[in-house]
Amino acid sequence: MIVVMQKEATEADIEAVRERLTAAGFDIHLSPGVARTVIGAIGDKTRIDPASLEAMTGVDKVVPILHPFKLASREFHPENSVVPVTEKIAIGSRAFHIIAGPCAVEGREQLLEAALAVKEAGATMLRGGAYKPRTSPYSFQGLEEEGLKILAEAREASSLPVVTEVMDPRYLSLICEYADVIQVGARNMQNFFLLRELGCVPKPVLLKRGPAATIEEWLLAAEYIIAAGNPNVILCERGIRTFETYTRNTLDLSAIPVVKKLSHLPVIVDPSHGTGKWALVPAMARAALAAGADGLLVEVHPHPGQALSDGPQSLTPANFAAMVNELRALAPVMNRDLA
Ligand code: PEP
Ligand code: MN
């Protein structure tokens, strides 16, 4: 359940509610809002009478939660969450952020070229996979720690914060040394042990939607991370499996307004994995901005024809720059600022 405190509630009122819920065995998550504090309580509802809770001093109302996710729900946190990445960059605010870069870090030259090009075009963050287990064990598997070092060098050179994927909890602390945002790939969305570990790291998490996950399952995956202690979750729609074969996945743009209604978490869109074809990326990027997304994750490669992974869906730097210019024209219509 969720306990919404009155605007005038004092610290002592909040503490009294917290003590009562804790004594009844509830797990408490406090959300101090601008106007009022909201208390999320997870536990056995039969152990407390909501009406008596509502009668406590400073309590406005007690809201039962109908969704299985609580901390990720809009009821728990009525205002949009803004996830801080660096001092200047936060996802979920008016600023529309574009995270761009190659699918995989393939080498120093490739990543530095990509980083400088996407920065020049207007990207505010750099992406690149260092750990890339693929469908086939014989495909390129990523440069691993060497790739992380190259990402750190590209961050220095471009001053763009870096997003990279963690595949396995065993590599999490190493990746945290290098990355500004930790990506959870679509195939790992329900790796619950990994999600729990991500609750304990001091970095924002970019959580991709699983290829066959419902929106509820996706928000429950976010709930794992938040419940384990990390509120800084950015959702990323990247397409789901359907019967359609023309595109690599079916980009579910309707997920954006649905997530915005159900949750306070920011949501970004990956039109590259969502379509699998670079020529479709700009149209889907514009649609994502128009549908209310908080940003994009886009694959850009200096030479897509030579890419070791996902070349067919990667934009060239010139195509990326043209796409960003189109988005720049659209952004003010949607009340968004684009770097
Ligand atoms: C990626 O972003 O490089 C990636 C592997 O994406 P997904 O997990 O969405 O397939
Ligand atoms: Mn990729």
Side-chain angles (χ1 to χ4, degrees):
M1 72 183 96
I2 281 167
V3 184
V4 182
M5 301 300 293
Q6 292 166 352
K7 281 197 195 94
E8 309 74 35
T10 63
E11 285 297 321
D13 296 337
I14 296 167
E15 195 44 42
V17 173
R18 186 218 280 270
E19 263 173 31
R20 175 131 186 243
L21 287 163
T22 309
F26 281 79
D27 201 6
I28 302 303
H29 293 261
L30 220 64
S31 173
V34 183
R36 54 177 79 209
T37 291
V38 176
I39 304 170
I42 299 170
D44 179 359
K45 276 181 283 188
T46 60
R47 298 202 52 192
I48 210 147
D49 175 17
S52 77
L53 207 57
E54 214 161 62
M56 289 181 75
T57 317
V59 174
D60 181 11
K61 58 186 169 190
V62 176
V63 186
I65 287 296
L66 305 174
H67 310 298
F69 46 89
K70 294 183 174 62
L71 308 176
S73 75
R74 186 65 72 201
E75 287 93 343
F76 173 62
H77 193 287
E79 299 127 31
N80 288 334
S81 271
V82 177
V83 174
V85 175
T86 62
E87 262 175 35
K88 290 195 189 130
I89 296 181
I91 310 244
S93 61
R94 228 186 107 102
F96 185 80
H97 286 287
I98 306 180
I99 306 166
C103 179
V105 180
E106 298 168 4
R108 221 177 139 261
E109 210 179 304
Q110 170 246 18
L111 191 70
L112 288 174
E113 196 179 339
L116 297 176
V118 300
K119 157 105 184 191
E120 169 77 18
T124 44
M125 296 174 78
L126 175 67
R127 63 148 289 147
Y131 296 85
K132 293 259 43 140
R134 312 280 296 288
T135 305
S136 161
Y138 307 115
S139 303
F140 174 63
Q141 300 284 308
L143 297 182
E144 307 196 336
E145 191 169 356
E146 178 59 21
L148 295 176
K149 289 186 176 148
I150 296 173
L151 277 166
E153 197 183 332
R155 171 178 42 209
E156 281 300 306
S158 64
S159 63
L160 295 177
V162 159
V163 183
T164 198
E165 180 173 347
V166 63
M167 303 288 302
D168 186 310
R170 285 172 294 182
Y171 295 106
L172 186 53
S173 60
L174 177 69
I175 291 173
C176 279
E177 284 175 31
Y178 293 94
D180 298 288
V181 175
I182 315 285
Q183 179 173 322
V184 177
R187 287 156 202 80
N188 259 325
M189 190 205 85
Q190 285 187 315
N191 181 340
F192 299 120
F193 287 102
L194 177 62
L195 299 179
R196 269 197 213 134
E197 293 292 322
L198 284 160
C200 308
V201 300
K203 303 271 174 168
V205 177
L206 192 158
L207 178 65
K208 287 199 155 194
R209 180 178 180 184
T214 63
I215 291 172
E216 187 172 293
E217 287 163 343
W218 188 20
L219 291 173
L220 279 167
E223 185 85 7
Y224 261 89
I225 302 170
I226 306 172
N230 186 353
N232 293 317
V233 178
I234 303 155
L235 299 166
C236 179
E237 162 62 40
R238 48 76 73 201
I240 49 174
R241 275 262 169 112
T242 67
F243 52 81
E244 181 56 68
T245 54
Y246 186 81
T247 45
R248 181 177 179 180
N249 290 291
T250 296
L251 189 62
D252 181 9
L253 289 172
S254 67
I256 303 163
V258 174
V259 163
K260 288 280 173 195
K261 179 171 187 289
L262 297 178
S263 176
H264 53 89
L265 296 172
V267 57
I268 67 167
V269 168
D270 171 355
S272 307
H273 293 87
T275 62
K277 295 184 175 175
W278 69 266
L280 304 180
V281 169
M284 290 300 94
R286 295 193 300 271
L289 169 59
D294 295 296
L296 296 170
L297 181 79
V298 184
E299 287 188 340
V300 179
H301 194 289
H303 311 284
Q306 292 163 27
L308 295 180
S309 67
D310 288 350
Q313 67 192 33
S314 299
L315 294 172
T316 60
N319 285 336
F320 175 69
M323 179 187 88
V324 176
N325 278 337
E326 288 170 355
L327 294 168
R328 226 176 245 127
L330 180 60
V333 181
M334 296 309 301
N335 267 331
R336 291 281 187 173
D337 299 327
L338 214 146

